[in-house]
Amino acid sequence: MVGRRLGRAADAVALGAVLLVLAAPVLWVLLSAFKTRTEVAALPPRLLFTPTLENFAELFGRGDFLDYTWNSFVVAGGSMLLGLVLGFPAAFAMAWHRMTWPATATLFARMAPGTLFLLPWLVMFTSVGLTGTRTVLVLTHAVITLPITIWVLLPYLEGVPRELIESAQIDGARAHQVLLRVVLPVVVPGVVVAAILSFVFSWNYFLFALVLSGLESKTAIVASFNFVGEGVTNWGALMAAAVVIAAPPLILTMLIQRRLVGGLAAGAVKG
């Protein structure tokens, strides 16, 4: 009994230390967003202060940041939908024919550094006049989110009974009817997980938006660096921007956290 208690105590201490290390930067950013500029730069950091909303007032007082935030929603949502439209039938074909090498090949887009694609894409999209538009960001971010969609959906689709699909085919259902009316309702948890992960990855992606966007299509994560200057950095507004940028993925995850965790667990069991 004593050994078990000591083991549990050690586990609790280790877990607390890990949570502290993970939560400390997040807590620091959150508190800094409600401090004045001088308090943000104070060393050592002040834990006791009077909260202020002046950083958020300055941030949202600039109408362009709201536009940039909307651009982030459009790009992340568009690339998520495009990834699902392309990735769902692709993952179904791989699962049906028991082929894994196409899915492995798509991982190249995730493993390769983004700079490998950046220069060819810059030349290609400039030649067709798409550079500086939200369309080019949706297309390029879809390349990043597509492998996530495929790999998340594969375990679910492999778990769909083949007899169910064959019965629908015998009844005269066409390919798109089989996908939308038979397979999709069965793998909805996997689609939800793939959609959330794709949205978050696109929302947080920086490189392509930095180079390929324009003044009107810039995303919030790129626009936040407008507060970083060569001589002076507006740390208060930068921290407020970081909180605003981090809020949508966190809120989305919290709202559907049960389905997300359940979907990941179900996919792991089926795989």
Side-chain angles (χ1 to χ4, degrees), residues 90-209:
F92 174 75
M94 296 175 195
W96 181 261
H97 295 288
R98 301 287 195 266
M99 295 188 304
T100 57
W101 67 264
T104 304
T106 61
L107 288 178
F108 177 75
R110 290 295 306 165
M111 294 186 296
T115 52
L116 186 64
F117 304 98
L118 194 55
L119 183 57
W121 279 349
L122 180 61
V123 174
M124 181 179 67
F125 288 118
T126 301
S127 63
V128 296
L130 286 179
T131 304
T133 65
R134 290 184 295 202
T135 302
V136 70
L137 297 182
V138 171
L139 293 175
T140 54
H141 282 209
V143 175
I144 302 300
T145 59
L146 184 59
I148 301 171
T149 301
I150 291 176
W151 277 96
V152 169
L153 289 177
L154 268 177
Y156 293 90
L157 293 171
E158 289 174 349
V160 176
R162 299 177 75 91
E163 294 80 7
L164 182 65
I165 300 172
E166 292 170 350
S167 298
Q169 292 173 334
I170 293 174
D171 291 338
R174 298 184 178 182
H176 68 279
Q177 294 175 326
V178 171
L179 282 175
L180 298 179
R181 297 183 181 181
V182 178
V183 179
L184 182 58
V186 178
V187 297
V188 166
V191 173
V192 172
V193 174
I196 295 172
L197 294 179
S198 297
F199 183 90
V200 171
F201 271 92
S202 176
W203 178 274
N204 292 328
Y205 205 74
F206 175 76
L207 180 60
F208 296 159

